[in-house]
């Protein structure tokens, strides 16, 4: 099928390349000419495992093209809209400027029978409003939320857990759902659940999923706070409750909490929308989820200062990690970088390293020192703070080797990702999140 994908960020670029990889003819459209230029060369504009390969293959096969001109969407049977919905400046709601601009610019290129598939995360009620924008063209709007995780985006797009299509009632909706099944033919053929709903349900599925994940993380982080005053170990607690299949161990990783371009802004936008709907109290707990999450960064800073003997002033701090999570170069709302910036604010001499995110980090926080060389970061450190659980720190960093480089063998494990015994055996004092000191 011929498809267009409007917006070539973390979502759209992966979607365009993945759709080409399963045999469709795809044009990716973005207003950022520099991004388009890179994509045309088959280069991903950000780090995402596996993306460069499918981009290059798609471009080389001729099935994948990119343009900064919306007219390139003309002739596609399905138009995916995957532009960003960031948090409003000075508010908690979602900023729909890019979504509205994309629809305004797309409508003049739609033909009767086209499908427009919204993928952006939007406040419930947006699709019903946008359906009216699309209706005069004779095209049909579906809402088809995306559940991909950065770092696993290619796999999540090609082989998702489930597909959700919010469609209008009646024959028009049935036809639209059928066309989406054809688009996702590989996933459908392998029996991926395909759930057809109305618009509001599809929009809510997305924010409910992210709200649930954020709540799960904050739940375990709340347990970490209790563990800290009782001497318990939150990682053992998570293992033990996680064996209950109804609970499950995934997303029970206590640490400095969630960040990124989705979970934090999505729970805030959901709260803001619930308030507008007069149901703020129904999800008032999400404010608590947010507050617990932010408190964990304070805790990591507190532990670091404690490890430094009470003051960070002029102490050398090696910060391992800048990305909001491993296998990504995304630093949006990164707890790791926030901790680094705030330690510098306390007068520490902070040096940050990360396998992929340094370029983005440098641009956002030029006041910090950066090095690509892990040994260089560790050299003469008075404390090592691990804030992104990259395999490079988790599995490959030898505590005996690191011990020879640092000034003091003190490590704050902001992600509870290090093997405590190995580090202790190599003479380190270990500070975990919600775990006993050692
Ligand atoms: C999240 C969702 O997981 C995706 O399903 C969704 O599609 C996406 O948002 C989106 O809305 O676009 P992502 O932001 O890539 O995906 O990252 P996650 O893997 O969910 O991690 C989010 C944050 O939670 C990271 O900072 C991570 O370090 C943190 N986290 C995760 C924990 O602190 N503990 C855990 O146990 C798991």
């Amino acid at each position: 099928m011929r498809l267009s994908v409007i917006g070539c960020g973390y979502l759209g670029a992966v979607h365009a390349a993945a759709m080409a990889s399963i045999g469709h003819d795809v044009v990716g459209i973005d207003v950022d000419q520099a991004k388009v230029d890179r994509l045309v060369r088959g280069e991903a504009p950000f780090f995402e495992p596996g993306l460069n390969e499918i981009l290059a293959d798609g471009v080389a096969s001729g099935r994948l093209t990119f343009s900064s001109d919306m007219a390139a969407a003309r002739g596609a049977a399905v138009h995916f809209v995957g532009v960003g919905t960031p948090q409003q400046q000075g508010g908690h709601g979602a900023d729909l400027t890019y979504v509205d601009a994309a629809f305004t610019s797309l409508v003049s290129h739609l033909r009767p029978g086209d499908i427009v598939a919204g993928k952006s995360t939007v406040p419930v009620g947006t699709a019903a409003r946008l359906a009216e924008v699309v209706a005069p063209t004779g095209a049909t709007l579906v809402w088809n939320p995306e559940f991909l995780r950065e770092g696993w985006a290619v796999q999540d797009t090609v082989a998702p857990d489930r597909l959700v299509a919010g469609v209008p009632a009646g024959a028009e909706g049935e036809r639209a759902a059928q066309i989406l099944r054809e688009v996702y033919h590989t996933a459908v053929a392998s029996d991926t659940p395909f759930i057809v709903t109305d618009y509001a349900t599809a929009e809510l599925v997305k924010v409910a999923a992210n709200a649930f994940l954020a709540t799960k993380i904050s739940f375990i982080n709340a347990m970490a706070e209790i563990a800290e005053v009782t001497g318990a170990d939150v990682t053992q607690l998570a293992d033990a409750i996680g064996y209950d299949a109804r609970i499950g161990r995934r997303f029970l990783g206590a640490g400095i909490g969630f960040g990124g371009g989705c979970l934090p802004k999505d729970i805030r936008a959901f709260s803001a929308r619930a308030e507008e709907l007069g149901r703020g109290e129904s999800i008032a707990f999400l404010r608590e989820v947010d507050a617990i999450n932010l408190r964990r960064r304070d805790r990591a800073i507190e532990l670091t200062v404690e490890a430094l003997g009470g003051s960070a002033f002029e102490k050398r701090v090696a910060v391992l990690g800048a990305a909001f999570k491993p296998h990504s170069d995304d630093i949006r709302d990164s707890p790791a970088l926030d901790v680094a910036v705030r330690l510098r604010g306390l007068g520490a001499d902070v040096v940050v390293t990360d396998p992929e995110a340094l370029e983005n980090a440098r641009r956002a926080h030029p006041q910090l020192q950066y090095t690509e060389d892990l040994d260089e970061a560790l050299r003469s450190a008075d404390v090592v703070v691990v804030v992104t659980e990259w395999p490079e720190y988790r599995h490959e960093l030898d505590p005996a080797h690191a011990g020879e480089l640092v000034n003091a063998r003190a490590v704050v494990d902001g992600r509870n990702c290090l093997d405590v015994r190995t580090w202790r055996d190599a003479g380190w004092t270990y500070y975990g999140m919600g775990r006993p000191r050692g």
Side-chain angles (χ1 to χ4, degrees), residues 38-178:
R38 290 190 67 173
L39 288 163
V40 163
R41 293 195 297 270
E43 276 172 38
F46 47 84
F47 175 74
E48 180 62 47
L51 178 57
N52 267 325
E53 290 78 359
I54 58 166
L55 259 181
D57 283 357
V59 170
S61 71
R63 278 200 310 277
L64 180 59
T65 56
F66 293 93
S67 173
S68 55
D69 182 359
M70 190 62 91
R74 211 176 272 252
V78 183
H79 308 270
F80 289 97
V81 180
V83 295
T85 51
Q87 187 173 331
Q88 278 166 7
Q89 300 272 348
H92 274 182
D95 177 354
L96 295 179
T97 314
Y98 303 112
V99 172
D100 287 333
F103 273 80
T104 306
S105 147
L106 176 63
V107 279
S108 58
H109 304 291
L110 295 174
R111 302 164 311 172
D114 282 4
I115 303 292
V116 180
K119 292 195 86 62
S120 305
T121 301
V122 292
V124 58
T126 306
R129 176 172 66 78
L130 292 171
E132 287 175 20
V133 176
V134 167
T137 66
T140 301
L141 179 71
V142 302
W143 213 261
N144 173 221
E146 181 56 60
F147 305 101
L148 65 78
R149 298 158 298 167
E150 286 175 29
W152 305 93
V154 173
Q155 181 191 320
D156 286 351
T157 306
V158 177
D161 291 341
R162 76 297 208 186
L163 290 155
V164 175
V167 302
E172 186 190 3
E174 276 168 30
R175 174 181 171 270
Q178 186 49 35

Side-chain angles (χ1 to χ4, degrees), residues 121 146-150 206 210 213 217 251-253 257-260 262-263 266 324-325 335 389 415:
T121 301
E146 181 56 60
F147 305 101
L148 65 78
R149 298 158 298 167
E150 286 175 29
K206 170 67 194 196
N210 277 359
L213 293 170
I217 298 168
F251 271 66
L252 286 182
F258 58 82
C262 302
L263 263 44
D266 286 355
F324 84 106
K325 68 172 192 181
E389 68 277 33
R415 291 294 184 181

